[in-house]
PDB file of all heavy atoms in Angstrom:
ATOM      1  N   GLY A 111      56.821 122.325 104.526  1.00 98.00           N
ATOM      2  CA  GLY A 111      57.496 123.565 104.141  1.00 98.00           C
ATOM      3  C   GLY A 111      57.976 124.363 105.337  1.00 98.00           C
ATOM      4  O   GLY A 111      59.175 124.678 105.434  1.00 98.00           O
ATOM      5  N   PRO A 112      57.070 124.702 106.295  1.00 98.00           N
ATOM      6  CA  PRO A 112      57.521 125.410 107.499  1.00 98.00           C
ATOM      7  C   PRO A 112      58.590 124.666 108.281  1.00 98.00           C
ATOM      8  O   PRO A 112      59.514 125.266 108.831  1.00 98.00           O
ATOM      9  CB  PRO A 112      56.242 125.566 108.302  1.00 98.00           C
ATOM     10  CG  PRO A 112      55.137 125.533 107.296  1.00 98.00           C
ATOM     11  CD  PRO A 112      55.612 124.566 106.247  1.00 98.00           C
ATOM     12  N   PHE A 113      58.470 123.335 108.338  1.00 98.00           N
ATOM     13  CA  PHE A 113      59.475 122.570 109.060  1.00 98.00           C
ATOM     14  C   PHE A 113      60.859 122.709 108.422  1.00 98.00           C
ATOM     15  O   PHE A 113      61.851 122.982 109.132  1.00 98.00           O
ATOM     16  CB  PHE A 113      59.069 121.081 109.075  1.00 98.00           C
ATOM     17  CG  PHE A 113      60.126 120.173 109.610  1.00 98.00           C
ATOM     18  CD1 PHE A 113      60.437 120.128 110.958  1.00 98.00           C
ATOM     19  CD2 PHE A 113      60.841 119.337 108.733  1.00 98.00           C
ATOM     20  CE1 PHE A 113      61.434 119.274 111.445  1.00 98.00           C
ATOM     21  CE2 PHE A 113      61.820 118.488 109.221  1.00 98.00           C
ATOM     22  CZ  PHE A 113      62.126 118.471 110.566  1.00 98.00           C
ATOM     23  N   PHE A 114      60.954 122.549 107.118  1.00 98.00           N
ATOM     24  CA  PHE A 114      62.260 122.628 106.473  1.00 98.00           C
ATOM     25  C   PHE A 114      62.816 124.052 106.512  1.00 98.00           C
ATOM     26  O   PHE A 114      64.032 124.244 106.627  1.00 98.00           O
ATOM     27  CB  PHE A 114      62.172 122.114 105.027  1.00 98.00           C
ATOM     28  CG  PHE A 114      62.074 120.623 104.937  1.00 98.00           C
ATOM     29  CD1 PHE A 114      60.962 120.019 104.343  1.00 98.00           C
ATOM     30  CD2 PHE A 114      63.059 119.807 105.464  1.00 98.00           C
ATOM     31  CE1 PHE A 114      60.863 118.635 104.261  1.00 98.00           C
ATOM     32  CE2 PHE A 114      62.977 118.425 105.396  1.00 98.00           C
ATOM     33  CZ  PHE A 114      61.870 117.842 104.791  1.00 98.00           C
ATOM     34  N   ARG A 115      61.917 125.051 106.466  1.00 98.00           N
ATOM     35  CA  ARG A 115      62.412 126.428 106.603  1.00 98.00           C
ATOM     36  C   ARG A 115      62.992 126.662 107.968  1.00 98.00           C
ATOM     37  O   ARG A 115      64.035 127.301 108.157  1.00 98.00           O
ATOM     38  CB  ARG A 115      61.269 127.405 106.325  1.00 98.00           C
ATOM     39  CG  ARG A 115      60.926 127.542 104.861  1.00 98.00           C
ATOM     40  CD  ARG A 115      60.063 128.773 104.586  1.00 98.00           C
ATOM     41  NE  ARG A 115      58.741 128.638 105.208  1.00 98.00           N
ATOM     42  CZ  ARG A 115      57.689 128.098 104.603  1.00 98.00           C
ATOM     43  NH1 ARG A 115      57.831 127.604 103.375  1.00 98.00           N
ATOM     44  NH2 ARG A 115      56.534 128.035 105.183  1.00 98.00           N
ATOM     45  N   ASP A 116      62.339 126.103 109.001  1.00 98.00           N
ATOM     46  CA  ASP A 116      62.848 126.262 110.356  1.00 98.00           C
ATOM     47  C   ASP A 116      64.202 125.567 110.504  1.00 98.00           C
ATOM     48  O   ASP A 116      65.126 126.094 111.098  1.00 98.00           O
ATOM     49  CB  ASP A 116      61.853 125.687 111.364  1.00 98.00           C
ATOM     50  CG  ASP A 116      60.660 126.611 111.590  1.00 98.00           C
ATOM     51  OD1 ASP A 116      60.775 127.793 111.267  1.00 98.00           O
ATOM     52  OD2 ASP A 116      59.636 126.114 112.095  1.00 98.00           O
ATOM     53  N   VAL A 117      64.290 124.354 109.980  1.00 98.00           N
ATOM     54  CA  VAL A 117      65.555 123.615 110.102  1.00 98.00           C
ATOM     55  C   VAL A 117      66.680 124.341 109.380  1.00 98.00           C
ATOM     56  O   VAL A 117      67.803 124.451 109.896  1.00 98.00           O
ATOM     57  CB  VAL A 117      65.383 122.177 109.524  1.00 98.00           C
ATOM     58  CG1 VAL A 117      66.725 121.496 109.369  1.00 98.00           C
ATOM     59  CG2 VAL A 117      64.466 121.351 110.443  1.00 98.00           C
ATOM     60  N   MET A 118      66.372 124.903 108.198  1.00 97.00           N
ATOM     61  CA  MET A 118      67.404 125.601 107.439  1.00 97.00           C
ATOM     62  C   MET A 118      67.814 126.913 108.137  1.00 97.00           C
ATOM     63  O   MET A 118      68.934 127.389 107.903  1.00 97.00           O
ATOM     64  CB  MET A 118      66.898 125.891 106.016  1.00 97.00           C
ATOM     65  CG  MET A 118      66.692 124.651 105.180  1.00 97.00           C
ATOM     66  SD  MET A 118      68.215 123.672 104.957  1.00 97.00           S
ATOM     67  CE  MET A 118      69.202 124.799 103.990  1.00 97.00           C
ATOM     68  N   SER A 119      66.934 127.458 108.957  1.00 97.00           N
ATOM     69  CA  SER A 119      67.267 128.708 109.642  1.00 97.00           C
ATOM     70  C   SER A 119      67.990 128.477 110.966  1.00 97.00           C
ATOM     71  O   SER A 119      68.436 129.423 111.616  1.00 97.00           O
ATOM     72  CB  SER A 119      65.990 129.510 109.928  1.00 97.00           C
ATOM     73  OG  SER A 119      65.203 128.874 110.946  1.00 97.00           O
ATOM     74  N   ALA A 120      68.101 127.199 111.385  1.00 97.00           N
ATOM     75  CA  ALA A 120      68.727 126.886 112.654  1.00 97.00           C
ATOM     76  C   ALA A 120      70.189 127.332 112.684  1.00 97.00           C
ATOM     77  O   ALA A 120      70.897 127.234 111.685  1.00 97.00           O
ATOM     78  CB  ALA A 120      68.631 125.393 112.946  1.00 97.00           C
ATOM     79  N   ARG A 121      70.624 127.828 113.832  1.00 96.00           N
ATOM     80  CA  ARG A 121      71.973 128.347 113.968  1.00 96.00           C
ATOM     81  C   ARG A 121      72.950 127.346 114.579  1.00 96.00           C
ATOM     82  O   ARG A 121      74.141 127.629 114.734  1.00 96.00           O
ATOM     83  CB  ARG A 121      71.942 129.638 114.835  1.00 96.00           C
ATOM     84  CG  ARG A 121      71.158 130.762 114.195  1.00 96.00           C
ATOM     85  CD  ARG A 121      70.858 131.842 115.192  1.00 96.00           C
ATOM     86  NE  ARG A 121      70.012 131.352 116.282  1.00 96.00           N
ATOM     87  CZ  ARG A 121      69.582 132.106 117.286  1.00 96.00           C
ATOM     88  NH1 ARG A 121      69.944 133.356 117.375  1.00 96.00           N
ATOM     89  NH2 ARG A 121      68.794 131.582 118.209  1.00 96.00           N
ATOM     90  N   SER A 122      72.445 126.176 114.927  1.00 97.00           N
ATOM     91  CA  SER A 122      73.330 125.156 115.509  1.00 97.00           C
ATOM     92  C   SER A 122      72.660 123.786 115.384  1.00 97.00           C
ATOM     93  O   SER A 122      71.450 123.696 115.206  1.00 97.00           O
ATOM     94  CB  SER A 122      73.557 125.479 117.016  1.00 97.00           C
ATOM     95  OG  SER A 122      72.353 125.272 117.743  1.00 97.00           O
ATOM     96  N   PRO A 123      73.454 122.725 115.482  1.00 97.00           N
ATOM     97  CA  PRO A 123      72.883 121.387 115.475  1.00 97.00           C
ATOM     98  C   PRO A 123      71.850 121.197 116.586  1.00 97.00           C
ATOM     99  O   PRO A 123      70.876 120.459 116.422  1.00 97.00           O
ATOM    100  CB  PRO A 123      74.086 120.479 115.638  1.00 97.00           C
ATOM    101  CG  PRO A 123      75.239 121.251 115.115  1.00 97.00           C
ATOM    102  CD  PRO A 123      74.940 122.669 115.482  1.00 97.00           C
ATOM    103  N   ARG A 124      72.065 121.837 117.734  1.00 97.00           N
ATOM    104  CA  ARG A 124      71.133 121.715 118.820  1.00 97.00           C
ATOM    105  C   ARG A 124      69.767 122.294 118.481  1.00 97.00           C
ATOM    106  O   ARG A 124      68.723 121.733 118.835  1.00 97.00           O
ATOM    107  CB  ARG A 124      71.696 122.396 120.084  1.00 97.00           C
ATOM    108  CG  ARG A 124      70.913 122.122 121.347  1.00 97.00           C
ATOM    109  CD  ARG A 124      71.590 122.716 122.562  1.00 97.00           C
ATOM    110  NE  ARG A 124      70.831 122.468 123.785  1.00 97.00           N
ATOM    111  CZ  ARG A 124      70.908 121.361 124.497  1.00 97.00           C
ATOM    112  NH1 ARG A 124      71.715 120.382 124.120  1.00 97.00           N
ATOM    113  NH2 ARG A 124      70.191 121.215 125.610  1.00 97.00           N
ATOM    114  N   GLU A 125      69.757 123.417 117.734  1.00 97.00           N
ATOM    115  CA  GLU A 125      68.490 123.980 117.297  1.00 97.00           C
ATOM    116  C   GLU A 125      67.822 123.097 116.253  1.00 97.00           C
ATOM    117  O   GLU A 125      66.584 122.935 116.272  1.00 97.00           O
ATOM    118  CB  GLU A 125      68.716 125.392 116.746  1.00 97.00           C
ATOM    119  CG  GLU A 125      69.004 126.428 117.828  1.00 97.00           C
ATOM    120  CD  GLU A 125      69.032 127.840 117.313  1.00 97.00           C
ATOM    121  OE1 GLU A 125      68.712 128.054 116.115  1.00 97.00           O
ATOM    122  OE2 GLU A 125      69.383 128.735 118.097  1.00 97.00           O
ATOM    123  N   VAL A 126      68.621 122.518 115.369  1.00 98.00           N
ATOM    124  CA  VAL A 126      68.038 121.558 114.412  1.00 98.00           C
ATOM    125  C   VAL A 126      67.362 120.439 115.149  1.00 98.00           C
ATOM    126  O   VAL A 126      66.213 120.067 114.834  1.00 98.00           O
ATOM    127  CB  VAL A 126      69.156 121.014 113.462  1.00 98.00           C
ATOM    128  CG1 VAL A 126      68.592 119.851 112.626  1.00 98.00           C
ATOM    129  CG2 VAL A 126      69.708 122.101 112.576  1.00 98.00           C
ATOM    130  N   TRP A 127      68.046 119.875 116.137  1.00 98.00           N
ATOM    131  CA  TRP A 127      67.478 118.790 116.908  1.00 98.00           C
ATOM    132  C   TRP A 127      66.222 119.224 117.655  1.00 98.00           C
ATOM    133  O   TRP A 127      65.250 118.497 117.738  1.00 98.00           O
ATOM    134  CB  TRP A 127      68.543 118.302 117.903  1.00 98.00           C
ATOM    135  CG  TRP A 127      68.155 117.106 118.727  1.00 98.00           C
ATOM    136  CD1 TRP A 127      68.101 117.013 120.079  1.00 98.00           C
ATOM    137  CD2 TRP A 127      67.800 115.804 118.240  1.00 98.00           C
ATOM    138  NE1 TRP A 127      67.738 115.774 120.471  1.00 98.00           N
ATOM    139  CE2 TRP A 127      67.531 114.988 119.372  1.00 98.00           C
ATOM    140  CE3 TRP A 127      67.658 115.249 116.969  1.00 98.00           C
ATOM    141  CZ2 TRP A 127      67.154 113.661 119.252  1.00 98.00           C
ATOM    142  CZ3 TRP A 127      67.276 113.925 116.863  1.00 98.00           C
ATOM    143  CH2 TRP A 127      67.014 113.152 117.983  1.00 98.00           C
ATOM    144  N   GLY A 128      66.222 120.466 118.130  1.00 97.00           N
ATOM    145  CA  GLY A 128      65.038 120.996 118.784  1.00 97.00           C
ATOM    146  C   GLY A 128      63.851 121.080 117.884  1.00 97.00           C
ATOM    147  O   GLY A 128      62.727 120.732 118.265  1.00 97.00           O
ATOM    148  N   TYR A 129      64.076 121.527 116.654  1.00 98.00           N
ATOM    149  CA  TYR A 129      62.967 121.605 115.682  1.00 98.00           C
ATOM    150  C   TYR A 129      62.412 120.204 115.359  1.00 98.00           C
ATOM    151  O   TYR A 129      61.232 120.074 115.006  1.00 98.00           O
ATOM    152  CB  TYR A 129      63.434 122.298 114.413  1.00 98.00           C
ATOM    153  CG  TYR A 129      63.477 123.804 114.496  1.00 98.00           C
ATOM    154  CD1 TYR A 129      64.659 124.497 114.191  1.00 98.00           C
ATOM    155  CD2 TYR A 129      62.370 124.538 114.878  1.00 98.00           C
ATOM    156  CE1 TYR A 129      64.716 125.869 114.274  1.00 98.00           C
ATOM    157  CE2 TYR A 129      62.404 125.921 114.952  1.00 98.00           C
ATOM    158  CZ  TYR A 129      63.589 126.586 114.665  1.00 98.00           C
ATOM    159  OH  TYR A 129      63.641 127.971 114.750  1.00 98.00           O
ATOM    160  N   ILE A 130      63.252 119.210 115.449  1.00 98.00           N
ATOM    161  CA  ILE A 130      62.816 117.848 115.098  1.00 98.00           C
ATOM    162  C   ILE A 130      62.040 117.201 116.230  1.00 98.00           C
ATOM    163  O   ILE A 130      60.958 116.647 115.999  1.00 98.00           O
ATOM    164  CB  ILE A 130      64.041 116.980 114.720  1.00 98.00           C
ATOM    165  CG1 ILE A 130      64.657 117.478 113.414  1.00 98.00           C
ATOM    166  CG2 ILE A 130      63.620 115.501 114.593  1.00 98.00           C
ATOM    167  CD1 ILE A 130      65.964 116.824 113.066  1.00 98.00           C
ATOM    168  N   ILE A 131      62.543 117.289 117.472  1.00 98.00           N
ATOM    169  CA  ILE A 131      61.951 116.490 118.533  1.00 98.00           C
ATOM    170  C   ILE A 131      61.070 117.288 119.494  1.00 98.00           C
ATOM    171  O   ILE A 131      60.364 116.703 120.316  1.00 98.00           O
ATOM    172  CB  ILE A 131      63.021 115.756 119.367  1.00 98.00           C
ATOM    173  CG1 ILE A 131      63.838 116.778 120.174  1.00 98.00           C
ATOM    174  CG2 ILE A 131      63.878 114.879 118.500  1.00 98.00           C
ATOM    175  CD1 ILE A 131      64.521 116.164 121.385  1.00 98.00           C
ATOM    176  N   SER A 132      61.091 118.604 119.413  1.00 98.00           N
ATOM    177  CA  SER A 132      60.282 119.396 120.330  1.00 98.00           C
ATOM    178  C   SER A 132      58.837 119.402 119.901  1.00 98.00           C
ATOM    179  O   SER A 132      58.498 119.047 118.765  1.00 98.00           O
ATOM    180  CB  SER A 132      60.808 120.823 120.383  1.00 98.00           C
ATOM    181  OG  SER A 132      62.126 120.851 120.857  1.00 98.00           O
ATOM    182  N   PRO A 133      57.938 119.823 120.783  1.00 98.00           N
ATOM    183  CA  PRO A 133      56.521 119.912 120.388  1.00 98.00           C
ATOM    184  C   PRO A 133      56.307 120.907 119.265  1.00 98.00           C
ATOM    185  O   PRO A 133      57.071 121.865 119.090  1.00 98.00           O
ATOM    186  CB  PRO A 133      55.831 120.370 121.666  1.00 98.00           C
ATOM    187  CG  PRO A 133      56.777 120.019 122.790  1.00 98.00           C
ATOM    188  CD  PRO A 133      58.139 120.151 122.201  1.00 98.00           C
ATOM    189  N   PRO A 134      55.267 120.731 118.460  1.00 98.00           N
ATOM    190  CA  PRO A 134      54.934 121.710 117.430  1.00 98.00           C
ATOM    191  C   PRO A 134      54.818 123.104 118.035  1.00 98.00           C
ATOM    192  O   PRO A 134      54.236 123.279 119.107  1.00 98.00           O
ATOM    193  CB  PRO A 134      53.588 121.220 116.895  1.00 98.00           C
ATOM    194  CG  PRO A 134      53.565 119.757 117.199  1.00 98.00           C
ATOM    195  CD  PRO A 134      54.312 119.602 118.501  1.00 98.00           C
ATOM    196  N   GLY A 135      55.371 124.094 117.335  1.00 97.00           N
ATOM    197  CA  GLY A 135      55.327 125.475 117.817  1.00 97.00           C
ATOM    198  C   GLY A 135      56.547 125.902 118.592  1.00 97.00           C
ATOM    199  O   GLY A 135      56.681 127.090 118.920  1.00 97.00           O
ATOM    200  N   TRP A 136      57.475 124.976 118.896  1.00 97.00           N
ATOM    201  CA  TRP A 136      58.670 125.333 119.677  1.00 97.00           C
ATOM    202  C   TRP A 136      59.569 126.250 118.849  1.00 97.00           C
ATOM    203  O   TRP A 136      59.750 126.069 117.640  1.00 97.00           O
ATOM    204  CB  TRP A 136      59.441 124.079 120.053  1.00 97.00           C
ATOM    205  CG  TRP A 136      60.728 124.358 120.762  1.00 97.00           C
ATOM    206  CD1 TRP A 136      60.901 124.619 122.091  1.00 97.00           C
ATOM    207  CD2 TRP A 136      62.046 124.445 120.175  1.00 97.00           C
ATOM    208  NE1 TRP A 136      62.235 124.846 122.363  1.00 97.00           N
ATOM    209  CE2 TRP A 136      62.925 124.736 121.212  1.00 97.00           C
ATOM    210  CE3 TRP A 136      62.526 124.281 118.861  1.00 97.00           C
ATOM    211  CZ2 TRP A 136      64.313 124.885 120.999  1.00 97.00           C
ATOM    212  CZ3 TRP A 136      63.879 124.422 118.642  1.00 97.00           C
ATOM    213  CH2 TRP A 136      64.755 124.725 119.698  1.00 97.00           C
ATOM    214  N   ARG A 137      60.138 127.248 119.524  1.00 96.00           N
ATOM    215  CA  ARG A 137      61.100 128.144 118.913  1.00 96.00           C
ATOM    216  C   ARG A 137      62.318 128.255 119.836  1.00 96.00           C
ATOM    217  O   ARG A 137      62.149 128.296 121.082  1.00 96.00           O
ATOM    218  CB  ARG A 137      60.531 129.537 118.696  1.00 96.00           C
ATOM    219  CG  ARG A 137      59.215 129.595 117.960  1.00 96.00           C
ATOM    220  CD  ARG A 137      59.349 129.217 116.507  1.00 96.00           C
ATOM    221  NE  ARG A 137      60.317 130.043 115.804  1.00 96.00           N
ATOM    222  CZ  ARG A 137      60.617 129.881 114.504  1.00 96.00           C
ATOM    223  NH1 ARG A 137      60.055 128.904 113.821  1.00 96.00           N
ATOM    224  NH2 ARG A 137      61.475 130.672 113.917  1.00 96.00           N
ATOM    225  N   PRO A 138      63.542 128.317 119.302  1.00 95.00           N
ATOM    226  CA  PRO A 138      64.720 128.392 120.159  1.00 95.00           C
ATOM    227  C   PRO A 138      64.865 129.714 120.915  1.00 95.00           C
ATOM    228  O   PRO A 138      65.581 129.789 121.915  1.00 95.00           O
ATOM    229  CB  PRO A 138      65.879 128.204 119.174  1.00 95.00           C
ATOM    230  CG  PRO A 138      65.322 128.609 117.852  1.00 95.00           C
ATOM    231  CD  PRO A 138      63.882 128.224 117.892  1.00 95.00           C
ATOM    232  N   ASP A 139      64.153 130.776 120.465  1.00 93.00           N
ATOM    233  CA  ASP A 139      64.264 132.060 121.131  1.00 93.00           C
ATOM    234  C   ASP A 139      63.238 132.254 122.259  1.00 93.00           C
ATOM    235  O   ASP A 139      63.183 133.322 122.873  1.00 93.00           O
ATOM    236  CB  ASP A 139      64.149 133.224 120.144  1.00 93.00           C
ATOM    237  CG  ASP A 139      62.816 133.198 119.392  1.00 93.00           C
ATOM    238  OD1 ASP A 139      61.954 132.337 119.690  1.00 93.00           O
ATOM    239  OD2 ASP A 139      62.637 134.055 118.482  1.00 93.00           O
TER     240      ASP A 139
END
């Protein structure tokens, strides 16, 4: 649930990719 909410809130494909491959807890801000 938190993962899909984060992906849906992403403002760019790069942020989507970040949520997928970054360590747990990563935020783009």
Side-chain angles (χ1 to χ4, degrees):
F113 170 74
F114 286 120
R115 284 195 293 272
D116 284 342
V117 169
M118 293 300 294
S119 71
R121 296 166 297 181
S122 69
R124 189 175 180 84
E125 287 188 6
V126 171
W127 185 238
Y129 281 125
I130 293 172
I131 69 157
S132 299
W136 176 83
R137 308 291 303 179
D139 59 4

